[in-house]
């Protein structure tokens, strides 16, 4: 695919979605710091639209059927797994021409495209800003610039997944500004996560120093026996704050498809939630975990070999 669809008489669905996302990113960044509140509302709407359109461009590239929203259940992903030999199910026809919701599009894109997977949290922040602005004319003035930048973060990851350049996507000047703001945001997130690790480390050192002599083994044994109360799947992982064994935490999500009376096809996958350590009290969400170097293997995108390239 080329770097620009401008001037073509007929664009493919992918190109149409891709370049519409470009328009919305540029519009969001142009209006987000306006003195006019109505323009700032528009910036939030543009940011969410950019995220939705880029997610849908990725879905079209992987398989256009992923865009379809079947009111009886979204079974397209299972059909793709059937084609790859991962599960067994009966083929289905598609009656609906509605596309999936923005949130569903982002979730599916994160599953089938490994480049955007780590950016799903940023995408959801932008969608939340869009929904508040579009449906209630509400914006969080303090958070809006960050929410717009979060949307740009997801969209640029999408651009990277197509092996295209941000300069061609946004223009050199806008790309430079947006990439700088995304880098600054990511640096701030990383710094905040590192500070959480430092506080947990200091807390652990203080605990060790206060323990009466001879009681450490009992206390640490009790802490080591604790397990997370949330999440469906856990695995041990060295804590970046204290060096003891903490926990990686996942939820199990299931694609569900009715096949007939009392007959179902399911496909389970893991959704990484974060990290928790009972020795020092460190708790990290999935974004913070990645920022401090905790990157669990086994990404759900491993089910596919069709990410944009």
């Amino acid at each position: 695919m080329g770097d620009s669809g401008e001037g073509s008489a007929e664009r493919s669905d992918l190109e149409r979605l891709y370049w519409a996302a470009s328009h919305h990113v540029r519009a969001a960044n142009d209006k987000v710091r306006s003195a006019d509140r109505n323009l700032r509302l528009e910036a939030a709407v543009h940011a969410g639209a950019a995220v939705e359109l880029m997610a849908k461009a990725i879905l079209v590239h992987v398989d256009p059927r992923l865009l379809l929203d079947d009111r009886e259940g979204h079974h397209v992903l299972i059909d793709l797994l059937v084609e790859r030999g991962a599960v067994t199910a009966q083929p289905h026809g598609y009656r609906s021409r509605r596309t999936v919701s923005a949130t569903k599009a982002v979730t599916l894109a994160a599953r089938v495209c490994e480049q955007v997977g780590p950016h799903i949290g940023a995408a959801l922040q932008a969608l939340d800003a869009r929904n508040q602005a579009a449906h209630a004319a509400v914006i969080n003035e303090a958070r809006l610039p960050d929410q717009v930048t979060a949307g740009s973060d997801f969209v640029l990851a999408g651009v990277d997944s197509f092996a295209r350049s941000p300069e061609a996507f946004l223009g050199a000047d806008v790309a430079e500004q947006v990439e700088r703001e995304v880098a600054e945001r990511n640096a701030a997130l990383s710094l905040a996560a590192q500070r959480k690790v430092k506080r947990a480390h200091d807390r652990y050192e203080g605990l060790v120093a206060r323990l009466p002599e001879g009681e450490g083994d009992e206390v640490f044994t009790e802490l080591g026996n604790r397990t997370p109360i949330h999440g469906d799947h856990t695995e041990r992982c060295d804590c970046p704050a204290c060096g003891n064994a903490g926990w990686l935490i996942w939820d199990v999500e299931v694609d569900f498809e009715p096949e007939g009376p009392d007959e179902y096809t399911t496909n389970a996958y893991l959704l990484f939630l974060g990290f928790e350590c009972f020795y020092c009290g460190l708790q990290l969400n999935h974004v913070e975990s990645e920022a401090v170097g905790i990157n669990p293997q086994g990404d759900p995108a491993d089910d596919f070999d069709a990410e944009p390239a």
Side-chain angles (χ1 to χ4, degrees), residues 7-281:
S8 62
E10 294 184 14
R11 299 181 186 173
S12 68
D13 286 343
L14 186 154
E15 296 298 324
R16 174 173 51 83
L17 293 163
Y18 182 89
W19 291 106
S22 168
H23 161 76
H24 286 290
V25 169
R26 287 183 276 112
N29 282 273
D30 181 54
K31 298 175 181 179
V32 65
R33 293 178 177 83
S34 171
D36 186 333
R37 185 177 184 277
N38 287 324
L39 292 181
R40 296 197 301 276
L41 280 170
E42 290 182 15
V45 174
H46 285 303
V51 165
E52 178 177 358
L53 292 165
M54 180 57 73
K56 289 181 176 180
I58 291 169
L59 298 184
V60 166
H61 182 73
V62 173
D63 192 302
R65 291 172 296 170
L66 287 169
L67 275 183
L68 301 180
D69 181 23
D70 192 303
R71 291 177 181 271
E72 298 178 0
H74 190 83
H75 46 62
V76 180
L77 200 55
I78 287 184
D79 283 359
L80 295 185
L81 291 170
V82 169
E83 293 170 4
R84 291 161 174 78
V87 297
T88 302
Q90 297 299 315
H92 291 266
Y94 301 97
R95 294 175 298 280
S96 174
R97 297 307 302 174
R98 291 168 53 92
T99 61
V100 292
S101 69
T103 301
K104 184 69 173 179
V106 166
T107 302
L108 286 171
R111 289 185 61 192
V112 301
C113 176
E114 62 182 7
Q115 288 96 328
V116 301
H119 304 268
I120 185 172
L124 295 177
Q125 288 185 46
L127 291 181
D128 182 63
R130 191 268 298 270
N131 291 340
Q132 291 293 318
H135 300 301
V138 171
I139 50 177
N140 185 321
E141 296 287 2
R143 294 187 58 211
L144 180 61
D146 182 71
Q147 291 169 321
V148 169
T149 303
S152 299
D153 181 37
F154 177 86
V155 172
L156 287 183
V159 173
D160 181 63
S161 76
F162 286 102
R164 300 187 184 187
S165 72
E167 292 77 14
F169 182 68
L170 295 173
D173 291 342
V174 176
E176 181 181 3
Q177 173 195 339
V178 171
E179 287 186 301
R180 181 180 66 253
E181 291 173 352
V182 167
E184 290 172 351
R185 179 180 185 273
N186 290 336
L189 289 173
S190 178
L191 180 60
Q194 293 291 347
R195 285 173 174 167
K196 289 184 74 170
V197 171
K198 179 63 166 58
R199 288 195 297 270
H201 172 80
D202 294 344
R203 189 164 53 241
Y204 177 75
E205 291 295 318
L207 169 65
V208 172
R210 292 193 304 270
L211 284 174
E213 186 175 352
E215 295 186 13
D217 289 346
E218 182 179 351
V219 171
F220 290 128
T221 297
E222 195 278 330
L223 293 174
N225 287 334
R226 294 183 182 180
T227 56
I229 61 174
H230 59 291
D232 301 314
H233 177 74
T234 58
E235 292 181 8
R236 290 285 194 177
C237 177
D238 289 344
C239 176
C242 67
N244 292 299
W247 294 95
L248 300 172
I249 306 168
W250 290 264
D251 264 349
V252 175
E253 299 289 335
V254 180
D255 297 317
F256 174 86
E257 173 62 23
E259 298 293 346
D262 299 321
E263 295 182 9
Y264 308 93
T265 296
T266 61
N267 174 63
Y269 64 97
L270 295 177
L271 182 66
F272 182 57
L273 300 181
F275 174 86
E276 183 171 13
C277 176
F278 291 102
Y279 291 95
C280 63

